[in-house]
Each structure stands twice: as structure tokens, then as C-alpha cells.
Amino acid sequence: MAQVVTVTSGKGGVGKTTSSAAFSTGLAQRGKKVVVIDFDVGLRNLDLIMGVERRVVFDIVNVIQGEARLNQALIRDKRVDTLSILPASQTRDKDALNRDGVAKIIEELSKDFDYIICDSPAGIEKGALLALYFADQAIVVTNPEVSSVRDSDRILGVIQSKSKRAEDNREPVREHLLVTRYDPIRVAKGEMLKLEDVQEILAVPLLGVIPESEAVLKASNAGNPVILDTETSAAQAYADAVSRFLGEEKPMRFIEAEKKGIFSRIFGGRAA
Amino acid sequence: MSWLNFFRGRPEPSSANIAKERLTMIVATGGNRRNGDDFLPRMQKDLMEVVLRYVNVDPSKVKITTERGSDLSTLAIEVELPPAGQMRRAG
């Protein structure tokens, strides 16, 4: 049986799609069969971040409406061959998705894949609710910033009350916290919430901390999941998060401000 | 921060600390999360039955509220009793 993992946050722009792309690519690199679904109908972006936008022929709405078979809509990744992408529709609205349709898709995907990653839209309305309804696990993406933390708290409440697992009174959805855009230098200056504070407020086990990094924008410019830029701190932090997800012990990295030496002080330069 | 802080004795709290304090308040009192709040409706019903067993009051005059704070959480049961003349024991 496949595990359904929903990447969600409540707030928009915190890194859900970047994290979905990196995380599913990372899982697939470990040999897992992974499919990542874009639930943001009307505002699809996962295809762009994954660099497959020109290969989209059919999307999730076509499959639900019976206009295409699931296999026709799935896009096989060319970099990691155990990874597939199911794009969202760009032209329809959120109402084109329905629970029965999504249930059927997930059931069918469960036969062929180990992990079904659901990239949730922002908000707590229909699209987001559908993305988390079938979740076995949830990765809550949070920036160390007040509105993001509050929205994460809100979405955690939604997961705990509106998911299928909650409705069926089964074991609750397993929650993970992924802190993104963390800037240890600003934390050291007292300008940004500390990791421990975010953790204390949300009280969810920490899956990883992704440092603020120029590599993320570069990767999305190129349509390359950032985890593939293995030299960068962001890629390494995502790879660590994948390892932890699979049960390995990994100490958190990139959470302390590096002491700048005299040369880097003079010649500048920023972390990759 | 300016050099004047040197004379003020105590440094101003950092903006990150202010953020944490504000978040702790809203998350603690917001009731967004389960945090064990699930039992509340059932407890409310049970408490109501107990109150009504001993005093004959209008159920709408029994108020049960919880409040969560960072240091202290409270459970308050407020029963508005009828005037002394009309009071009688239930059952």
C-alpha cells in the first residue's frame, strides 16, 4: 500500500511546491517509486518547478472527468526514472476536483507507487482540503515568520479534524515540520524566530530545516528540483530531510551562523 | 539598537522575541488545534447533568468555558441561580 504524503502550509509562498519537488525527487533517488500530484488546479506550478511544463498533455482534471486515462496524464521524470508527475489543470477551477475522483486516482496510483506526494494549494478551502483528505502523513512547510507559523498551526488543526483518518477514527495523520528559508545570521541578530521557538509553538516533530539559499531561485529558473544541485546547502538539507523521513538519524545542519573570517568579511560573498 | 542602550541597562527585547510572545498567545488561546480539546463537548454535557441533578436551573444559564494562556489555563463553570425565593432542589 502506498503512503500518501501531503505537503501543506496554509500560507502561500512558503515553499510547498519547491519542497514537494525536492522531496519527491529525493525519495525517488533512494529507489522509491514516487508520484507527485499538483493539487493547485487553476494555478499549476509544479510542472514548471520540475521542468516538465512542455510535456503536459493531460492533467488530473482530464483523468477525473474521464477524458484521459491516468497513464496518459502521468509524466515520467527524465532525471530520476522512478519519479512521475501528475500535473494540475491550468484552465479549470478548483471545483473540477471532487473527492470520489481523487479517491479513485489515489487508489489506482497505490498499486504502482510507494509514495504519493500531494502538493497542496495555499489556503484551507476545497483544493487544500482535498489534498490533505487522504493523507497518511503531512509535511507542514513553515517559514520562521509570524503569519506562516500561525497558518501552520491552523492547517495542523484542519489535518487533525478534516482528514479521512480523523473521520474514520483511525490512527492520526503523522505530522512533520519542515522549516524553510531559515537564515541563521538573522536569527543570531534576533531578527528572525529561532528554530526552537517555531518548534515549541507548533509542537510537531522536526523533519528538516532548509536554509535561505540563492540556489532555490536558480533551480526554479531552470526547472530543476533544487535537491539535484548537490553542492548547495539547500540540496543537502533536503537530502537530510528525506533521510530522516526514511528513518535515518541525521543531525540538523545549517542552523548556526557561521563565523565569518577576515577574508570573507572583506570580499563578501554569500552562502550558496 | 544604538549606543544609548548601553546606558539604559536592559537591552530592548529583540523583534524575534516579540514575535514568539505574540505567537505563543494566539496559538495557546486560539483553540485551532486539538491539544486535547476534544473531550470538551462531552465534559460539558456531563458537567451540565451533574449541575442539573442538584439544582434546578435553566440549562441555558450554565456556562462552561476554558481559557488557555502560556502560564495558566482555566476551566470556569458559571451557574446563574434563580432568585432565592424560587430556588428549590431538583428531583
Side-chain angles (χ1 to χ4, degrees):
Chain A
M1 225 8 222
Q3 282 279 303
V4 179
V5 183
T6 300
V7 179
T8 187
S9 69
K11 190 176 182 300
V14 298
K16 280 183 298 297
T17 301
T18 299
S19 297
S20 298
F23 195 77
S24 41
T25 305
L27 274 177
Q29 283 179 317
R30 307 295 179 90
K32 308 289 179 196
K33 285 185 244 162
V34 183
V35 57
V36 54
I37 309 179
D38 190 349
F39 271 82
D40 206 345
V41 172
L43 290 171
R44 79 163 174 232
N45 274 323
L46 182 69
D47 55 333
L48 262 184
I49 300 297
M50 302 280 298
V52 299
E53 71 278 9
R54 294 201 295 177
R55 296 170 61 203
V56 176
V57 183
F58 295 112
D59 57 58
I60 186 169
V61 174
N62 294 133
V63 178
I64 286 179
Q65 318 252 322
E67 296 154 1
R69 279 178 292 112
L70 187 53
N71 272 336
Q72 294 176 295
L74 283 178
I75 301 170
R76 194 75 175 273
D77 192 86
K78 285 185 174 161
R79 295 154 296 214
V80 190
D81 64 359
T82 52
L83 176 63
S84 294
I85 299 121
L86 180 57
S89 167
Q90 183 71 312
T91 50
R92 318 274 185 106
D93 61 24
K94 287 190 188 74
D95 294 328
L97 288 185
N98 59 66
R99 196 177 275 178
D100 291 343
V102 174
K104 258 187 227 158
I105 288 179
I106 286 182
E107 200 191 320
E108 215 177 318
L109 291 172
S110 290
K111 293 176 198 153
D112 299 326
F113 292 94
D114 302 318
Y115 290 98
I116 301 171
I117 312 293
C118 303
D119 181 20
S120 173
I124 49 170
E125 275 125 47
K126 195 171 176 187
L129 292 179
L130 264 177
L132 65 79
Y133 185 71
F134 297 98
D136 298 306
Q137 308 198 40
I139 297 175
V140 176
V141 182
T142 307
N143 290 168
E145 175 272 324
V146 284
S147 53
S148 175
V149 174
R150 177 164 52 185
D151 289 1
S152 293
D153 181 64
R154 184 88 171 87
I155 202 77
L156 283 161
V158 175
I159 293 166
Q160 289 166 3
S161 58
K162 300 263 170 75
S163 61
K164 186 161 194 314
R165 278 180 173 265
E167 280 184 6
D168 296 349
N169 259 325
R170 278 190 297 154
E171 204 186 311
V173 175
R174 193 166 156 215
E175 300 157 344
H176 308 268
L177 175 64
L178 184 67
V179 175
T180 56
R181 308 199 68 166
Y182 195 69
D183 187 340
I185 295 170
R186 299 198 74 184
V187 171
K189 285 188 200 154
E191 295 173 2
M192 181 180 270
L193 279 165
K194 276 198 288 254
L195 181 61
E196 303 87 75
D197 293 345
V198 177
Q199 250 180 299
E200 188 191 319
I201 292 161
L202 293 176
V204 170
L206 184 65
L207 182 65
V209 183
I210 314 301
E212 175 77 68
S213 162
E214 292 175 1
V216 172
L217 180 59
K218 280 188 197 159
S220 79
N221 286 343
N224 228 8
V226 69
I227 197 167
L228 296 172
D229 299 330
T230 48
E231 300 298 304
T232 64
S233 56
Q236 291 166 16
Y238 273 118
D240 285 358
V242 171
S243 299
R244 287 184 205 106
F245 185 83
L246 294 173
E248 290 167 42
E249 294 264 345
K250 287 267 175 187
M252 295 291 163
R253 293 194 272 173
F254 317 113
I255 55 173
E256 302 291 345
E258 272 175 50
K259 297 264 186 303
K260 274 201 168 182
I262 181 88
F263 285 105
S264 54
R265 270 176 198 276
I266 294 169
F267 297 113
R270 298 176 63 177
Chain B
M1 268 209 255
S2 75
W3 58 274
L4 274 172
N5 285 335
F6 181 77
F7 298 103
R8 290 203 186 111
R10 211 159 53 97
E12 284 173 37
S14 74
S15 66
N17 281 338
I18 298 169
K20 189 200 173 184
E21 229 165 78
R22 293 172 60 215
L23 276 169
T24 308
M25 281 312 290
I26 52 169
V27 169
T29 55
N32 286 337
R33 301 276 291 282
R34 216 181 245 188
N35 289 337
D37 273 355
D38 251 351
F39 62 91
L40 254 183
R42 280 180 289 132
M43 185 176 71
Q44 207 152 331
K45 197 173 148 260
D46 287 354
L47 282 172
M48 190 77 91
E49 272 168 27
V50 173
V51 171
L52 291 175
R53 201 181 302 154
Y54 292 91
V55 276
N56 193 11
V57 290
D58 180 354
S60 67
K61 299 281 166 67
V62 183
K63 252 189 252 159
I64 300 170
T65 51
T66 54
E67 205 160 290
R68 289 171 176 279
S70 48
D71 297 330
L72 186 71
S73 296
T74 57
L75 168 71
I77 307 169
E78 194 184 320
V79 184
E80 196 185 317
L81 297 172
Q86 295 167 31
M87 182 115 160
R88 61 177 182 81
R89 268 194 64 173

